[in-house]
Structure formats: C-alpha cells, structure tokens
Amino acid sequence: MADQSIIRITKELSDIQRTCDLSLAVACRDIDVRNVRALIIGPHDTPYEFGFFEFAFKFGKDYPGKSPNVTSVTTNSGRCRFNPNIYASGKVCFTWRGERGEEWSAAQGLESILLSIQSLMSGNPYENEPGFEDANEPSDKTNQKDYVQKIRHETLRISVIQRLEDYLGLMPDGQTVAQQSAADQDEGDDELMDADDLPVAFEPFKDLCKRRFLWYYDSYLDAIQKAKAEVKDHQTFVRMPFEGPSNSMEGRFNYTDLERRMHNIKAAIDAEVDQWARAGLEAKAKDSTVAVNLQHQYEQVVQWFKRRDVPHDLRLEDGNPFVWVLTYFGRPMTNLDGGLFTIKVYFSPQFPEEQPRVRFETKIFHHRVALDGTVCYFPNPMRKEDVQSHLEAVFASIEEEDPAYDPRTIVNLEAHNLYWGGAASRKLYNRRLRRSAQQSVE
C-alpha cells in the first residue's frame, strides 16, 4: 500500500505548482519528495518587498498528523535573523506551536505553512515579537523604524544580491568566479578543486529568481534611492531589545555598494541572452533536440498566426531558432491600435528548464512592461514547454482591458501608479500608452 504521507505531499506540491501564484514556489528532487524547498517572495509595501526567501521542509512519515520541520535557508550562513520569528539559526516559530487553540491540524498543509510564514513578513515586523505587539513608547516607535530600515537593507543585500551573484558566478567586486579563480592560479594556488569534481547543487529557483529580478529591478533601485535619503553609508544597524549576540541582524548600511552590485547583476543577466543566441546557433548546427524542437514549434506558431484574425509577423533572427523576432500589431479599438512593436523571445539551450525571456525592443509605456522592455506575463504552468502558450500569455498581459490589481506585477513604477491611481491618473496612463503606440510607427 502506498505511503499516505507521500501521496499527500505529492498532491500538495502539485496543487501549488499548478497555480499561477506569483509569491510562492516549491520544488523537490524526484527521488526525495519528503525534502522540499520553497521560495517566498516578500510582500509589497514591507521591508521584505520582492526579496527571495528560501525555506527547507522535511516531512516525516507521520505527516499530516504532525507538522513538517521547517528551516529558513536565507540566513547569510546563520548570521542574519530576518524576523522575530525567523531566527539566524534557521528556526521558524509558528503561532500554532505551544498556544492553546492554535495547535497544528492535519487540515493544514504546505501552502498554509507558507502563507503563515509570509504573514510574518509584515510592514512592521517589530510587533511580531511576543510582548511587543502593542508597544507604543517613543523608544519603540524609533526601534520600529530602525528595524524596518535594516531589514530592507539586508533583504536587498542577502536575499536578492547575494543570491543572484551566486547564481551568476559573480563576486561582490563585479568579477566572475572564473576570473577570480584564474587570478588565484596565477598566484600559484594549485589546490583549487576542478569544477567537474564539485557536487551538483540543488537550485530549483535559479531561473525563476533571474526572471523576477528583471521584473523588479526598477523597484529595487527605487527602494535604494529612498533608503539613501533615510540612512548614511556605513551607519551601524541598531540592535533591537529582543536580539541577542547569536541571534540578531548586525551590520552597516551601504546602499551605494548595493546599487553598484545591482547594476552588475542586471548586466550579467542581460548578457546571458547573447550567450544563449551563440550557443543556439551551435546547437542548430548539431541538430540538438532543443534546436529541432524550437524549429518545429516556430513553424507551428507561424501557422497559428495565419489563422488569427489579428496579423502578426514572426521570423527567426539570423535563422536561429533560439531567437524569435515578432512584429506585434496593436489590436484595433484599443489603446494599442495602430501600434507596431518589435518583440524578441530568447530561448536557452536548456529550454524549458530555463524559461524564455521576452522583451519589447520597441519602447512602450505599459504597466506590464518594464523600462528595459521585459514583459511581465504568466504562461500556463502546465504548458511551459509550449511556446504558443507563452505568446498567448504575453498578448493577454498587454491586451487585458480590466486587470485585477496585483502589486506582485509592479514592473513599471510610473505606469503602475498611473493605472491604479484613480480616474484622472488612468486617463493620463491611457494617453501615454496611445502615444507610445503612435510613436512606434513614426
């Protein structure tokens, strides 16, 4: 008889992965379903905003009768306590533990745990500490502000910058790990481990975080500029009353350095698509499986466009099936009417494990398009290997006439604020969008 806990865990993982939740992601190795990794993207309007916080779940055979063991992975190697309830050691304190009426229930599950952790990431995390819920003394008000400031800094430094630098092989000074290794070898260090000897790391959120970084890049820079007006570089973090020597958030502010590192990360991610294009031509020459698949999908999509009422032109750049160039014609009777936009879709040689990156080459003022042209769109999670699904989602994102408000889709700050800023602001937004459509053909 199948292990009931395995069945339950597998179903919960599948349920989360089938949704388009933009703030939660889960993954596990195929052979190890009891050990799950989860990513929570910090909520808007909190010091955790758009940070990438990873957690490790270990499910016992008695699950769901007993709750899983949960550990925070994003701790700067055990040196950073991100919340009164998220310790530097990785321990996560839940409200149901030890409180009558709030015990763990088998009706709860992985998603409810993630939402509970996410709820800790509030705009005023100071009050999460027991005994400080209603602290209103002047010193408490000052501490609350100081606590928010240092969490915002470390969210950017640790959960975003360090994570992306690790993914990209970047050093804090902007050098790549390969460059640093070469320098070390030039100095006579012959004891470096060969890359082929290193264990393969489990990094299930690597591609997701890169794509989300492109979404939120301008928000990160905006947060840095606002913080620079509040604190000075090299100013020391204030220790909170509930922080101890081995369970705290210590450090100094240095937003100037964080800004420089942000720019380096953006440049490295942008350079990846050029690497993909070069590798794609090599893959095409070798008739690799991915190259053949993308060529076949390209031909299918060309036929799909021919059957559509609204014409679009599609071609391969330099005959490369890893770089698609789409000419998008604005839909009649919309703010995009008359527009003629060039969109590029870049594919990795590891597609679909690495998802496409879609970018407007023609400037457009749209709340779902970042300043660099990156499109915020949501492909069907069950069809991520289907390029047509991606294009359909792109069109839906830019053509949707009455989208629901969702702060997780903030990729163009000015356009977003105008779109949801009231009737007068919406009119200005519509004028700006129509103007960009007109300029696209000038």
Side-chain angles (χ1 to χ4, degrees):
M1 183 176 179
D3 188 320
Q4 292 301 312
S5 64
I6 293 292
I7 294 174
R8 170 72 177 260
I9 297 165
T10 303
K11 182 181 184 304
E12 291 186 16
L13 288 170
S14 178
D15 287 346
I16 295 174
Q17 291 169 341
R18 277 203 305 266
T19 68
C20 288
D21 193 306
L22 304 181
S23 60
L24 304 178
V26 293
C28 68
R29 296 182 190 271
D30 291 339
I31 60 173
D32 194 14
V33 73
R34 291 193 186 279
N35 287 288
V36 172
R37 288 296 182 103
L39 188 77
I40 297 176
I41 297 181
H44 176 55
D45 270 348
T46 74
Y48 305 94
E49 183 169 65
F50 303 147
F52 304 120
F53 297 92
E54 190 169 344
F55 296 85
F57 286 71
K58 186 173 181 61
F59 293 84
K61 293 183 179 180
D62 49 5
Y63 180 78
K66 290 187 178 180
S67 64
N69 178 270
V70 187
T71 304
S72 173
V73 177
T74 308
T75 63
N76 194 26
S77 300
R79 295 191 294 270
C80 185
R81 181 184 184 180
F82 263 107
N83 188 282
N85 295 67
I86 304 175
Y87 292 6
S89 65
K91 178 182 177 181
V92 181
C93 296
F94 294 103
T95 57
W96 66 71
R97 293 180 179 174
E99 297 291 335
R100 183 176 296 276
E102 295 185 355
E103 294 85 359
W104 169 261
S105 164
Q108 294 170 297
L110 177 56
E111 184 173 17
S112 66
I113 297 174
L114 291 173
L115 293 175
S116 293
I117 297 173
Q118 189 179 54
S119 71
L120 299 174
M121 299 177 182
S122 65
N124 184 18
Y126 185 85
E127 63 187 3
N128 289 347
E129 177 68 15
F132 290 78
E133 300 91 336
D134 301 309
N136 291 312
E137 295 296 324
S139 60
D140 291 309
K141 294 298 183 183
T142 300
N143 281 338
Q144 289 172 7
K145 182 179 178 181
D146 291 337
Y147 196 37
V148 163
Q149 286 175 335
K150 69 177 184 176
I151 290 175
R152 180 185 296 117
H153 185 276
E154 296 301 82
T155 289
L156 292 169
R157 185 177 75 90
I158 297 171
S159 81
V160 178
I161 292 174
Q162 281 188 8
R163 175 179 287 271
L164 269 297
E165 285 175 342
D166 286 346
Y167 286 156
L168 293 161
L170 287 178
M171 305 292 286
D173 62 4
Q175 286 194 94
T176 65
V177 173
Q179 290 170 332
Q180 183 63 53
S181 296
D184 289 341
Q185 287 179 320
D186 288 342
E187 294 174 4
D189 184 357
D190 57 0
E191 296 183 358
L192 291 173
M193 182 180 293
D194 190 283
D196 292 336
D197 296 329
L198 294 172
V200 177
F202 182 49
E203 298 176 326
F205 309 117
K206 185 175 182 178
D207 180 58
L208 183 151
C209 289
K210 287 182 183 181
R211 288 182 285 112
R212 293 299 181 83
F213 179 89
L214 294 175
W215 282 16
Y216 301 135
Y217 176 66
D218 293 310
S219 291
Y220 296 143
L221 294 183
D222 184 66
I224 287 174
Q225 293 307 314
K226 289 178 179 177
K228 279 185 173 182
E230 298 177 359
V231 297
K232 296 180 179 179
D233 282 351
H234 311 300
Q235 181 179 325
T236 304
F237 293 168
V238 176
R239 178 176 286 188
M240 297 296 104
F242 48 78
E243 291 183 325
S246 62
N247 190 25
S248 63
M249 179 182 280
E250 306 291 342
R252 296 176 182 272
F253 294 100
N254 194 341
Y255 277 108
T256 299
D257 187 57
L258 297 193
E259 185 174 24
R260 176 187 61 80
R261 292 165 70 181
M262 282 282 183
H263 290 318
N264 289 340
I265 291 168
K266 178 65 162 61
I269 294 178
D270 285 344
E272 283 189 328
V273 296
D274 295 327
Q275 298 167 5
W276 290 359
R278 291 192 295 271
L281 287 175
E282 295 176 4
K284 178 188 177 184
K286 296 177 182 178
D287 281 334
S288 76
T289 301
V290 178
V292 171
N293 172 41
L294 287 173
Q295 180 71 41
H296 179 62
Q297 290 208 52
Y298 164 75
E299 293 165 0
Q300 289 182 319
V301 172
V302 168
Q303 294 303 314
W304 172 59
F305 279 142
K306 289 180 178 180
R307 296 190 299 268
R308 285 172 58 89
D309 293 335
V310 180
H312 299 302
D313 180 62
L314 182 66
R315 63 181 175 84
L316 301 180
E317 185 171 76
D318 300 325
N320 188 346
F322 291 81
V323 185
W324 296 18
V325 183
L326 168 67
T327 302
Y328 172 83
F329 296 86
R331 196 174 68 185
M333 307 301 292
T334 71
N335 288 323
L336 295 168
D337 193 357
L340 194 65
F341 300 94
T342 299
I343 302 172
K344 281 192 178 181
V345 185
Y346 298 89
F347 296 92
S348 163
Q350 278 71 51
F351 174 78
E353 285 74 22
E354 283 184 307
Q355 289 286 281
R357 295 186 192 160
V358 183
R359 189 168 65 199
F360 269 77
E361 298 293 301
T362 308
K363 189 172 182 179
I364 181 174
F365 185 79
H366 195 287
H367 64 92
R368 285 286 187 87
V369 182
L371 294 180
D372 72 346
T374 296
V375 186
C376 171
Y377 75 98
F378 326 119
N380 185 325
M382 297 295 102
R383 294 174 57 201
K384 289 186 176 181
E385 74 290 342
D386 181 359
V387 180
Q388 181 177 320
S389 172
H390 286 270
L391 296 180
E392 289 172 343
V394 169
F395 298 153
S397 289
I398 62 175
E399 294 175 352
E400 190 174 11
E401 295 183 358
D402 191 23
Y405 175 77
D406 189 341
R408 298 170 299 183
T409 64
I410 298 176
V411 298
N412 183 321
L413 294 170
E414 184 182 9
H416 182 275
N417 291 336
L418 285 177
Y419 194 92
W420 277 283
S425 293
R426 180 70 67 86
K427 289 181 180 179
L428 178 57
Y429 168 85
N430 289 334
R431 286 201 297 271
R432 295 279 299 275
L433 177 55
R434 287 195 296 269
R435 180 57 182 154
S436 68
Q438 294 167 0
Q439 290 174 332
S440 70
V441 294
E442 291 176 356

